[in-house]
Amino acid sequence: LRRFDFAVLALSTLAINIAAGVGALVLGMLGAGIWTLAAQQLAISIGTLLVVAIRARWLPSLTWRWSAQRSFLTFSTSVVSWQALDFLNRQLDRAIIGGAIGLTALGLYASGRRLNELLIDTTAGVLAYVAFPIFSAIQADPARVRDAYLKAVSLLVFISYPASFGLLTLAPHLVPLALGPQWTEAVPIVQAFAVTGVIRAVGTMQAIVLRSMGKPAWWLAYLLLQNAANVAVLFLVVRFGIYWTAVAIVAREYALWPVSLLMVQRLLKMTSSSYLGVISRPLLASAAMVAAIFAVNRLLLAAGTGEVAFVAVDIVLGGGVYLATCLVTNGDGTREAFRVISRVGLAKADA
C-alpha cells in the first residue's frame, strides 16, 4: 500500500476470491456441504496473506519495538473498535438465534447469511481494499474525494448488483447444488439477505470514505446504532422463527441505511440525486437480467434440464442480458468500467 501498488493488490485479491469461490463450488458438488464455506474463507485469508507478504518482501519475526508501535496506537484503536462493533453486528443475530431457537435453525440461518456476506466481501472487499489509501491521500480536497467516491461506487454497483440479484434468483437451484439438498431450507434466508446487496456494497464504501476522511467516530456511532437496533429487533421477532428474523434484519438495514447516506452526503457535500444517478442504471439492468432468467427457466424446467446445466445457462444468459442493458442505457459508463478493469489487468501484467 505504501508503494500505491493498488492495481496489483486489487487484481490479486479479486483472483483469490474468484479462485476460492470456484473451489468452494467444486467442494460443494463433491459433497463437502457446509465445510465449503469454511474452506473458502480460509483460502481467501491465506491467499491474501501470501500475496501481501510476497509483494512487500516481508518475513515475520519476533522483533518488537515500542517506538515503532506508538504511532499506530491512535489509528489502530479506532480501527479495532470499528472492527469489533462490525463483528458484533454480524454475529449478534446468530448468537440470539442459536440460544432462542436451536442449533439446527442457527445452521440454516448462518449459512444463508454467510453466502451473501462472502458475495459482498468478494465484490466490495476488493475495491474497498485499495480505496482507503487513495481517499486518504486526497482527503484535503473534498471535491476530488467526492468524484473518486462516486466513480468507485459506480464500479462497485456495476459488479455487485448482478451478483446479488443473480443469487436472489438462482438460490433455489444454486444452494442445493453447492451445499447439498439438505440445505434447501436455507434458500429463503439466502434470498432475504440477497436483497440487502443493493445497499450493503455501497455501505462498505461509505465506511471507507468516513474513515479515510478522519471521521471514524461517525462510523462507530452508526455501528452502535445498528447494534442497538439489532438487539431490539431480534428480541421482538426471533420467537417467530428464522425466516421472519431474516426479513426483520433486512428491514432494519434498509431503515438505518439513510443515516450513513446522510453522513457521507454531509461530509462530501453530495445530493441524493448523485447516488440515484450512479445506482439507477445497474438496478434497471439487474431487473432485466432477473426477468430474462425467469422467462428462460420455464423452458428449462419444461425440458427437464439438469441442475448444473440449468445454473450455467442462467448465469450465461443473465450476464449477457445485464451487459447488453448496461450498454444500451449507459454505454459510456459501461465502457469506462471495462477500461478500469482492463487497466488493472495491464498493470498486473507489467508488474
Side-chain angles (χ1 to χ4, degrees), residues 87-98:
F87 176 82
L88 181 61
N89 186 49
R90 290 185 179 218
Q91 302 299 326
L92 183 62
D93 52 346
R94 294 170 170 87
I96 293 177
I97 287 172

Side-chain angles (χ1 to χ4, degrees), residues 134-135 137-150 268:
I134 294 176
F135 292 162
I138 60 175
Q139 63 178 295
D141 189 348
R144 288 185 64 194
V145 176
R146 181 174 61 247
D147 291 342
Y149 171 73
L150 287 175
L268 300 181

Side-chain angles (χ1 to χ4, degrees), residues 189-241:
I189 307 296
V190 173
Q191 292 177 311
F193 283 109
V195 176
T196 65
V198 175
I199 61 173
R200 291 198 67 192
V202 179
T204 300
M205 198 55 59
Q206 290 172 335
I208 295 299
V209 77
L210 288 173
R211 288 172 53 202
S212 64
M213 294 287 285
K215 301 295 184 182
W218 291 15
W219 193 252
L220 286 175
Y222 178 63
L223 288 176
L224 283 172
L225 177 62
Q226 280 193 323
N227 278 283
N230 258 353
V231 172
V233 167
L234 286 167
F235 277 107
L236 286 173
V237 180
V238 71
R239 61 179 176 271
F240 297 109

Side-chain angles (χ1 to χ4, degrees), residues 6 21 23 46 104 122 158 181 185 227 284 324 334:
F6 303 131
I46 294 175
T104 301
T122 301
F158 175 76
E185 291 183 73
N227 278 283
L284 176 62
T334 303

Side-chain angles (χ1 to χ4, degrees), residues 25 44 64 99 190 254:
L25 183 59
I44 291 173
W64 173 269
V190 173
Y254 272 91

Side-chain angles (χ1 to χ4, degrees), residues 53-278:
I54 292 171
R55 294 298 302 178
R57 297 179 177 84
W58 172 80
L59 288 175
S61 67
L62 297 178
T63 303
W64 173 269
R65 294 194 303 273
W66 173 249
S67 59
Q69 306 301 319
R70 189 179 305 158
S71 61
F72 294 101
L73 279 179
T74 302
F75 177 76
S76 61
T77 298
S78 64
V79 172
V80 169
S81 300
W82 170 72
Q83 291 179 335
L85 283 174
D86 185 59
F87 176 82
L88 181 61
N89 186 49
R90 290 185 179 218
Q91 302 299 326
L92 183 62
D93 52 346
R94 294 170 170 87
I96 293 177
I97 287 172
I101 305 179
L103 295 181
T104 301
L106 173 61
L108 294 171
Y109 179 88
S111 300
R113 181 160 191 176
R114 185 58 186 152
L115 280 173
N116 285 277
E117 289 174 346
L118 287 173
L119 183 63
I120 296 298
D121 291 343
T122 301
T123 54
V126 174
L127 190 56
Y129 187 63
V130 300
F132 177 75
I134 294 176
F135 292 162
S136 298
I138 60 175
Q139 63 178 295
D141 189 348
R144 288 185 64 194
V145 176
R146 181 174 61 247
D147 291 342
Y149 171 73
L150 287 175
K151 288 180 181 178
V153 170
S154 178
L155 179 61
L156 182 56
V157 298
F158 175 76
I159 298 171
S160 64
Y161 278 14
S164 293
F165 280 96
L167 182 60
L168 172 66
T169 309
L170 295 179
H173 305 280
L174 188 59
V175 170
L177 181 64
L179 301 181
Q182 68 272 26
W183 294 98
T184 301
E185 291 183 73
V187 168
I189 307 296
V190 173
Q191 292 177 311
F193 283 109
V195 176
T196 65
V198 175
I199 61 173
R200 291 198 67 192
V202 179
T204 300
M205 198 55 59
Q206 290 172 335
I208 295 299
V209 77
L210 288 173
R211 288 172 53 202
S212 64
M213 294 287 285
K215 301 295 184 182
W218 291 15
W219 193 252
L220 286 175
Y222 178 63
L223 288 176
L224 283 172
L225 177 62
Q226 280 193 323
N227 278 283
N230 258 353
V231 172
V233 167
L234 286 167
F235 277 107
L236 286 173
V237 180
V238 71
R239 61 179 176 271
F240 297 109
I242 56 173
Y243 302 121
W244 282 111
T245 300
V247 171
I249 292 296
V250 171
R252 189 272 304 163
E253 290 198 27
Y254 272 91
L256 293 183
W257 184 62
V259 176
S260 63
L261 182 64
L262 290 173
M263 288 179 178
V264 174
Q265 287 184 209
R266 177 183 174 185
L267 186 63
L268 300 181
K269 297 180 173 61
M270 292 172 50
T271 62
S272 298
S273 60
S274 300
Y275 272 104
L276 292 176
V278 167

